[in-house]
Amino acid sequence: MALPAYASPLERVWYYSFRTICGLIFFFLIAPIVIIIPLSFNAVPFFTFTPEMLSLDPAGYSLKWYEDFFTNLNWQGAVRNSVIIAFFATILSTALGTVAALGLSRPDMPFKTTIMALLISPMIVPLIISAAGMYFFYTSIGLASTHLGVILAHTALGTPFVVITVTATLVGFDNSLVRAGLMCGATPQRVFFKVIMPLILPGVISGALFAFVTSFDEVVVVLLVGSFEQRTIPWQMFSGIREQISPTILAVATLLVSVSICLLISVEWLRRRGERLRGITAT
Amino acid sequence: MASVTAAPEVMVTADGTPLKVSLHRALRRNKIRAFLLVLPLLAFLGFTFLWPIGVMMFRSVENSLVSTVMYRTVPLLAQWDETTGDLPDEAVFEALVQDVTEGFKNRTIGKVGTRLNYEEPGMSSIFRTSPKKFKKITEGPYKEKVIEAHKGWGDVDKWRLIKREGRPFTSSYYLAAIDRKLDNLGSITSQPAERQIYVKLFIRTLWMSALITGLCLLLGFPISFLLATLPTKTSNLLMILVLLPFWTSLLVRTTSWIAILQQHGVINDILVAIGLVSDDARLGMIHNQIGTVVAMTHILLPFMVLPLYSVMKTIPPSYMRAARSLGANPALAFWRVYMPQTVPGIGAGGILVFIIAIGYYITPALVGGTKGTLISNFIDYHMRVSLNWGLAAALGIILLGLILFLYIIYDRVVGIDNMKLG
């Protein structure tokens, strides 16, 4: 909506002030994420800009917090745990969620709304409630403070995202393709892998990314169900902020921002590819 | 007509079964097949998620501790008439001595003391000091010796309490969660003023969630409007500014707000540098409600922008132009023509943000201090610090009820099938 040539002065003022307001809101959204990047190269153990940093003196900057992150055993253990837990939770929730979404999208699925509500519920129920319930139950069956317990919990939290994204891709799915495949003599397995899978793949992958992020970013369940042995990166950050603030947290945060940029790019790319494949052009 | 329907020619399939039956079978087979695909996930969630929530519901009313540990005393107390104001008889006191001594040996009596202390402060100390003195009591008359050991046992109210909490289920956790308790004769009264915290906390949680939702709407509406009206290329570029925070770790965003808002943080440094605030009067913007509200507004803003944007995208710009050409000024055209069409988006985003805010834990725990904490922080406190799990469960179930109520509204307004991500 470019400003038309016949706009009155009042409209002109409003047009520019509206843009300025929007600019400020975008600044509010992005500034907190950008600001930690220079702070993580701080030479002193505070969360603040030192005079040396502001005068761009190289002595004000250092890589020691990154060095600490890559050498500190606590952080290395946290990275390992995060990757292991997120990996298995993603695989499990993607497999379970995709199969369930295929069932839900069939026209003759009984009790569809009720089942959908149940499957989505881990996303709606606040984490603290899920975590408390899991803590009570997992303690009683010996799953608390085990990697398996945290993986199962994260799988449960990740499945709604997979169900939602895969169901969304299946909305425009043409079932005659399946029938055509079967008529041409393919086995149902072959039809699944050669016909259905390539078409729903963008949904499956973006669901898997959501599940991965959910697990990778989750801390409440790890705090309650897990223990120090299951510490993940967010767990380490959470206890780090509570106990002793060290800019290593900012270094980790900067690294995590780069991870999220990669995730954002892949999800956006998948979304556009999916839209293109289904014939919905973005432009 | 009857003769026509009664005609013997029923349509059959190749193998001789009537067509209707065959069709019915095929439909049922399809239904079962569809259900079998969903079953693994349903079973998995049942075990890892739904059952635990059920366990928590049970925890919030379960009360077997007192009756298990004091298994001699509780059945005898059931026969005692607590309304007369007389102490229980000799047999009950004898049972008490045996139960307390055995419970002391098994290290369970302390838990009973803690449990009863939730209802009435002072019970814990009675149960802590009694076992040692009870050791000397080997024969009757028990009643006098017990009361001599601790005069608390001569108080009828204490016995009423034990009798009440000897029942297998209790409503006391729920009552405690709404600042009520049962008095000695079992009617509901308010907690003493200094223990009334939860109703205030629920109100504070609701109020702060509403404030955060309002702020998200205030900030989210203009940028959604801008994104929806700009050419696709520009808006896709600007969309990154919304999506990047959305994909960034929660803890990263909370950490950066700490760096920005703290006493020696970015904002205070700037204010001091330009002389607006003197160095010794730095603003306290963190570990209070301001910190929670600002950080949570930032974190939840994308959840408002995304549904608003997707609704605004579908509103044809020609409507506004039509209103303008019919003589409405821009403000009126916007208010009467554009705004009403964005209501579904406002509803969806608003309820979504409110639901997320009301159960939020991490950010208030880190930047909320004591004044900016929400109900979930207290659930966590009772789970991990005070170990009053019954109260934690009851608070959790009340919060869950609140959220399910909002969720049903969300379903009515938007429909869960329309939930979109990314």
Side-chain angles (χ1 to χ4, degrees):
Chain A
M1 45 154 215
L3 198 61
Y6 51 81
S8 66
L10 193 70
E11 279 176 321
R12 239 165 246 279
V13 170
W14 169 245
Y15 178 83
Y16 288 111
S17 44
F18 180 71
R19 298 256 156 148
T20 317
I21 292 169
C22 287
L24 287 175
I25 299 171
F26 281 121
F27 178 75
F28 169 75
L29 267 170
I30 209 72
I33 292 165
V34 177
I35 213 157
I36 48 172
I37 297 172
L39 279 177
S40 69
F41 295 102
N42 208 332
V44 292
F46 304 116
F47 275 25
T48 47
F49 285 101
T50 54
E52 292 85 25
M53 289 181 87
L54 293 176
S55 58
L56 295 177
D57 180 358
Y61 294 87
S62 94
L63 283 171
K64 62 179 172 188
W65 309 114
Y66 288 88
E67 194 189 321
D68 181 42
F69 170 69
F70 284 110
T71 51
N72 190 322
L73 282 180
N74 277 348
W75 282 106
Q76 289 313 300
V79 172
R80 206 184 49 235
N81 280 327
S82 271
V83 171
I84 292 174
I85 290 168
F87 176 77
F88 286 107
T90 308
I91 300 269
L92 267 174
S93 50
T94 311
L96 287 166
T98 306
V99 173
L102 286 172
L104 273 175
S105 303
R106 292 196 170 199
D108 30 31
M109 179 69 207
F111 313 113
K112 195 169 172 175
T113 357
T114 319
I115 289 179
M116 189 70 177
L118 281 178
L119 297 186
I120 302 287
S121 59
M123 201 171 84
I124 306 294
V125 175
L127 278 171
I128 188 75
I129 296 179
S130 318
M134 285 166 175
Y135 176 80
F136 289 135
F137 181 56
Y138 288 10
T139 314
S140 65
I141 56 169
L143 273 177
S145 304
T146 63
H147 278 75
L148 181 66
V150 180
I151 289 172
L152 290 181
H154 279 183
T155 306
L157 297 178
T159 49
F161 298 101
V162 182
V163 172
I164 289 176
T165 52
V166 178
T167 316
T169 35
L170 281 170
V171 167
F173 189 76
D174 187 359
N175 247 317
S176 50
L177 293 175
V178 175
R179 284 198 290 273
L182 288 170
M183 273 174 71
C184 291
T187 59
Q189 290 81 11
R190 205 175 150 79
V191 169
F192 178 76
F193 284 109
K194 291 279 171 185
V195 179
I196 303 178
M197 205 53 189
L199 282 171
I200 63 168
L201 199 61
V204 174
I205 295 180
S206 67
L209 285 174
F210 270 104
F212 182 84
V213 171
T214 308
S215 168
F216 203 70
D217 197 19
E218 203 288 322
V219 56
V220 187
V221 169
V222 186
L223 278 174
L224 280 170
V225 176
S227 62
F228 181 73
E229 285 304 306
Q230 284 78 43
R231 68 189 183 282
T232 56
I233 298 174
W235 190 96
Q236 189 74 19
M237 288 179 84
F238 186 81
S239 54
I241 296 171
R242 284 214 144 169
E243 284 146 25
Q244 27 95 12
I245 288 192
S246 122
T248 309
I249 292 171
L250 295 178
V252 180
T254 307
L255 294 173
L256 286 179
V257 170
S258 4
V259 171
S260 49
I261 291 175
C262 297
L263 282 170
L264 171 65
I265 292 170
S266 22
V267 170
E268 275 301 288
W269 182 76
L270 280 169
R271 195 175 59 85
R272 298 214 180 131
R273 182 174 176 274
E275 281 177 356
R276 233 185 10 252
L277 277 182
R278 280 182 293 148
I280 312 163
T281 40
T283 44
Chain B
M1 289 303 282
S3 62
V4 175
T5 45
E9 286 166 44
V10 176
M11 282 216 268
V12 290
T13 54
D15 58 352
T17 44
L19 193 59
K20 237 181 185 172
V21 176
S22 179
L23 179 70
H24 193 72
R25 259 187 218 153
L27 282 179
R28 203 176 54 192
R29 208 159 40 232
N30 277 347
K31 267 189 188 171
I32 292 174
R33 228 178 253 165
F35 188 71
L36 280 181
L37 284 173
V38 181
L39 193 64
L41 179 57
L42 210 55
F44 178 84
L45 283 185
F47 175 75
T48 56
F49 179 77
L50 299 169
W51 181 251
I53 300 276
V55 169
M56 187 165 92
M57 278 186 190
F58 179 69
R59 276 272 183 178
S60 65
V61 292
E62 183 263 359
N63 195 32
S64 61
L65 182 71
V66 176
S67 54
T68 335
V69 176
M70 302 177 70
Y71 62 95
R72 295 187 190 86
T73 319
V74 168
L76 285 174
L77 267 181
Q79 291 153 23
W80 168 59
D81 182 7
E82 73 267 34
T83 52
T84 57
D86 296 331
L87 281 174
D89 53 22
E90 182 71 13
V92 175
F93 280 89
E94 187 181 350
L96 175 76
V97 172
Q98 290 165 347
D99 280 340
V100 168
T101 315
E102 190 181 319
F104 184 65
K105 220 184 292 162
N106 301 336
R107 295 163 187 247
T108 50
I109 202 70
K111 287 185 198 162
V112 174
T114 314
R115 167 71 190 89
L116 293 174
N117 207 55
Y118 296 148
E119 307 303 322
E120 196 178 319
M123 289 305 281
S124 182
S125 85
I126 297 182
F127 275 89
R128 233 186 359 260
T129 51
S130 292
K132 284 184 193 119
K133 293 182 177 159
F134 282 7
K135 265 187 204 156
K136 298 184 195 109
I137 306 172
T138 45
E139 54 184 11
Y142 289 98
K143 200 172 191 166
E144 284 135 49
K145 289 181 180 168
V146 165
I147 294 172
E148 197 179 303
H150 196 297
K151 63 178 186 317
W153 295 115
D155 183 357
V156 187
D157 288 343
K158 304 273 190 291
W159 287 101
R160 286 174 176 149
L161 178 65
I162 295 175
K163 175 168 177 170
R164 203 171 66 230
E165 294 309 328
R167 292 181 194 132
F169 296 102
T170 178
S171 59
S172 61
Y173 293 124
Y174 281 100
L175 290 174
I178 52 168
D179 291 340
R180 299 287 185 277
K181 65 171 187 176
L182 291 173
D183 69 2
N184 303 320
L185 289 171
S187 45
I188 298 168
T189 52
S190 299
Q191 291 271 15
E194 74 274 11
R195 292 184 84 177
Q196 289 184 15
I197 48 173
Y198 297 110
V199 171
K200 273 188 214 145
L201 197 64
F202 271 112
I203 292 172
R204 188 210 279 168
T205 306
L206 290 173
W207 182 80
M208 282 177 68
S209 304
L211 179 67
I212 290 161
T213 312
L215 283 172
C216 280
L217 182 62
L218 195 71
L219 297 180
F221 200 92
I223 57 172
S224 312
F225 180 75
L226 186 73
L227 286 171
T229 45
L230 279 177
T232 316
K233 238 184 190 147
T234 333
S235 79
N236 272 346
L237 216 62
L238 281 177
M239 201 62 182
I240 294 175
L241 299 182
V242 178
L243 289 175
L244 185 60
F246 182 74
W247 281 100
T248 304
S249 165
L250 199 76
L251 277 151
V252 171
R253 286 181 279 169
T254 310
T255 313
S256 63
W257 277 111
I258 295 176
I260 293 171
L261 294 177
Q262 66 181 338
Q263 291 257 297
H264 290 271
V266 178
I267 290 187
N268 266 320
D269 279 353
I270 292 173
L271 289 178
V272 170
I274 59 174
L276 263 180
V277 173
S278 73
D279 199 16
D280 47 352
R282 285 167 177 265
L283 303 175
M285 290 177 293
I286 205 164
H287 303 305
N288 54 27
Q289 295 194 1
I290 302 173
T292 308
V293 170
V294 171
M296 278 180 68
T297 304
H298 176 252
I299 288 168
L300 298 179
L301 189 52
F303 291 95
M304 180 64 94
V305 173
L306 294 175
L308 262 180
Y309 168 75
S310 67
V311 167
M312 287 179 176
K313 195 83 191 154
T314 62
I315 302 174
S318 52
Y319 288 6
M320 279 282 272
R321 284 203 296 270
R324 292 293 305 279
S325 67
L326 287 171
N329 66 32
L332 187 72
F334 178 80
W335 183 249
R336 296 285 296 274
V337 176
Y338 197 83
M339 262 304 259
Q341 297 182 77
T342 62
V343 168
I346 296 176
I351 298 173
L352 189 63
V353 169
F354 194 77
I355 288 179
I356 302 176
I358 205 174
Y360 226 66
Y361 169 72
I362 300 292
T363 308
L366 290 175
V367 300
T370 49
K371 287 250 165 67
T373 44
L374 305 179
I375 196 75
S376 23
N377 302 99
F378 265 79
I379 297 177
D380 176 60
Y381 169 78
H382 286 303
M383 286 294 296
R384 297 195 298 155
V385 183
S386 84
L387 301 181
N388 188 351
W389 290 352
L391 183 56
L395 288 170
I397 297 292
I398 294 177
L399 179 62
L400 185 63
L402 216 62
I403 296 219
L404 288 184
F405 174 70
L406 291 168
Y407 177 64
I408 291 167
I409 297 179
Y410 182 88
D411 189 30
R412 289 276 154 81
V413 177
V414 205
I416 29 170
D417 296 347
N418 294 338
M419 203 179 279
K420 283 205 191 86
L421 296 167

